[in-house]
Amino acid sequence: MWRFAIKMLFGDSAKFYGILLGLGFASLLIAQQASIFVGLMSRTFAFVGEVGHVDLWVFDPTQSFVDDQKPLRSTAIDRVRGVEGVAWAAPLYKSLLVATLPNGVRRSVDVVGIDADTLAGGPAEVVAGSLADLRLPDAVMVEIGSSQQQLRLPADLAPGAIPAPGQVFDPAGPTRDVEVGDILELNERRARVVGLVKCAETFVAAPTVYTTYARALSYAPQSRRVMSAVLVTANEDADITTLAERIRAQTGLEALDPNAYAMRTLSYWMRETGIPINFGIAIALGFFVGVAIAGQMFYNFTLDNLRYFGAFKAMGASTWRLLGMVALQALVAGILGLGLGLGAVSAFGLNAAGGKLAFKMLWQIPLIAAGAVLVICILASVISMWKVVRLDPADVFKGP
Amino acid sequence: MTDPATISAHATAIRLRGVTKTFGRGESAVKALQGIDLDVPAGELTMLVGPSGCGKTTLISILAGLLSRDGGELAVFGTDLATLRRDRLAAWRRDNVGFIFQQFNLVPQLTVAENVSVPLVLKGESVAAAVRKAHDLLATLGLEGRGKSAPLKLSGGQQPRVAIARALIHEPRLLVCDEPTSALDAELGRRVMELIRGRSTRPDRAVVVVTHDDRIFHLADSIAHVNDGRIDQLTRGAAYARPTTSTSMGTSSASSGKNPGVHT
Ligand SMILES: Nc1ncnc2c1ncn2[C@@H]1O[C@H](COP(=O)(O)OP(=O)(O)O)[C@@H](O)[C@H]1O
Ligand SMILES: [Mg+2]
């Protein structure tokens, strides 16, 4: 009878596609919104992952997320270096500053100043030029990606060319990407692009501009010439957890490994913003729309077939066998609907990969969607099953 | 349970004594059956006839194991159905009863042969084997090669034959039909009833047909006239003691049958 149950499901194509659509839509909405949520949330701490070979981040204890700038005293670096077990400690500067383009357009950029000696805190991927070139006068490296939308130079200014005195560009005129050799202005000071880097998209979508720590301070306005964090690498034999405790005790600063620092940032955004609630609402909506559409369609499907179930019951099919048929129909519809939805989300994700859209489908997300679809199928089939249980076999002799 | 071989033609297959059934209670109670006494012989076709609402469907439902009685005695092939619990009763129906429903209730999403195979599949046969047997049986009913069709693609004359095949494929000892011709025109109804009679009467099988269609009364071996929850007349049908192959010739009215044994 299992085969017949499936044929009954597939054979009623209008209802079958309706059920699939409901379940597919629900799993699509759930998995897609969850993936965007995860993608968006991981952007809040993406900068931490950008920095390699760091054992501990040391920062002001009142700082609650990566971009929450709480200045450290300049002496912090020496105090951290003095802690036993620290191999090296490098200062880091990070702040939004204003860049002025040759056509007069002003843009916010995220300036990151790294230690000129160790170059610790530098970007993971250099696309053009070399990180060591940051030591050259006025040198900066610009992130491609965000800059291609936000840092656009006049098209009639050749790459690397310096505008002639008195030459003006139309701010609304045609533009081109930033290239190596181009000259920008950061707080009225010269910045020469010596390389291009690639960064993970961050939550604050301003293009990142890398330079040395000292030069970053010189670009910053007086009030913001402060250290943001200290990056620490531990001695080979040091235990990171105890080292972090020692730094905390001796400097009064917070010290966290990159993971913990990322989680601290994440939990701030989760706690303090409406983002999780908004995505939660979208996901719940997907769930309830699934229950409503698929549940309604499945119930109608069962109602349509009730007289045949009644005939089977009269002919001696046990109630359990009929319930099994309904459960199988719900399960098969669920699996196909889930496949449809997840397939669509994956296509969406592949399409979004590398683009502006935050999208990160963790392996748990399909499982969550599958769980949600399972619950929808159970809810949808329970009423149908109730109808089948209550079916009186004697009703087969009642009128149509 | 009694071995089918021990039931010879004209022996009592179903025995009812004082069977009662009431629906609802209090003011709105309906006494559908008020003491039914009836012996349904094996090897015969018994018709239950009577005005609408007299209790025919209730009676056939009780003796097919679809409905429980309130009082009286009932033995179907020696089994008192009241002793069977619900799932055992379902299994009993599966093993012993063939049904022809008024609307035939063929599942539109399944093929004709799959519909016919359902009783065998319910008994645990593989779908492949059951469908093969269904094709064979359909061929003997003039539906050769139609097994793979959708039931709704068949003509109005072919669908009843599918229902007959489904009712008989598992060789039940009891065949019950509630108004099998009421949805058909007179000519088709008569042909279908002839087919039921021709295909289903066997020495070890009891056939019970509910009808109020007097054009088919002549195909009965005996006719129980139900009135107000009682059987007030039991008459021999025109077909009684006649070879089953010549059933189509009789046109005599039911009451003209011989041996009008009356129970009350
Ligand atoms: N499930 C039920 N609930 C209440 N009353 C019923 C039920 N089934 C039948 N009846 C009543 O019992 C009487 C006999 O019905 P039924 O056996 O269907 O008659 P028939 O088949 O001869 O037309 C009718 O009055 C009918 O309304
Ligand atoms: Mg009736």
Side-chain angles (χ1 to χ4, degrees), chain A residues 397, chain B residues 53 56-58 102 178-179 210:
Chain A
F397 283 150
Chain B
K56 305 182 297 292
T57 296
T58 305
Q102 187 179 345
D178 194 3
E179 315 262 11
V210 164

Side-chain angles (χ1 to χ4, degrees), chain A residues 125-134 141 180 193-197:
Chain A
E125 191 180 347
V126 175
V127 179
S130 146
L131 204 53
D133 293 345
L134 282 184
M141 292 179 103
V180 172
V193 179
V194 297
L196 300 173
V197 300

Side-chain angles (χ1 to χ4, degrees), chain B residues 45-58:
Chain B
L45 191 157
T46 302
M47 285 189 188
L48 303 177
V49 306
S52 182
C54 69
K56 305 182 297 292
T57 296
T58 305

Side-chain angles (χ1 to χ4, degrees), chain A residues 29-86:
Chain A
L29 208 60
I30 290 168
Q32 190 240 30
Q33 291 294 306
S35 297
I36 291 180
F37 174 67
V38 170
L40 213 54
M41 284 291 112
S42 54
R43 283 183 180 187
T44 63
F45 54 81
F47 179 68
V48 180
E50 203 57 33
V51 174
H53 309 300
V54 168
D55 290 324
L56 289 171
W57 288 70
V58 179
F59 52 91
D60 188 278
T62 62
Q63 184 190 335
S64 45
F65 59 100
V66 172
D67 288 297
D68 179 23
Q69 297 302 331
K70 297 282 163 62
L72 299 182
R73 285 167 202 263
S74 54
T75 55
I77 188 80
D78 292 322
R79 280 154 61 215
V80 172
R81 278 175 184 153
V83 176
E84 188 201 332
V86 171

Side-chain angles (χ1 to χ4, degrees), chain A residues 270-358:
Chain A
M270 298 281 276
R271 249 183 307 115
E272 302 295 332
T273 71
I275 298 172
I277 293 175
N278 279 297
F279 278 92
I281 289 172
I283 289 168
L285 209 65
F287 179 80
F288 288 117
V289 166
V291 171
I293 298 181
Q296 173 76 33
M297 287 276 182
F298 192 80
Y299 181 61
N300 282 344
F301 164 74
T302 307
L303 279 191
D304 279 0
N305 287 292
L306 213 53
R307 48 188 287 221
Y308 309 119
F309 283 124
F312 293 158
K313 214 171 189 177
M315 286 153 73
S318 71
T319 300
W320 283 113
R321 200 197 280 253
L322 298 179
L323 289 183
M325 291 174 76
V326 174
L328 181 68
Q329 288 166 340
L331 191 70
V332 167
I335 289 170
L336 293 177
L338 180 71
L340 202 70
L342 291 185
V345 177
S346 303
F348 178 88
L350 288 179
N351 219 21
K356 292 246 58 153
L357 196 73

Side-chain angles (χ1 to χ4, degrees), chain A residues 7-8 307 313-314 316 321, chain B residues 90 93 99 105 109 114 122:
Chain A
K7 278 197 86 170
M8 286 167 79
R307 48 188 287 221
K313 214 171 189 177
R321 200 197 280 253
Chain B
R93 289 198 301 270
F99 293 90
N105 284 0
Q109 296 100 312
E114 284 168 340
L122 286 175

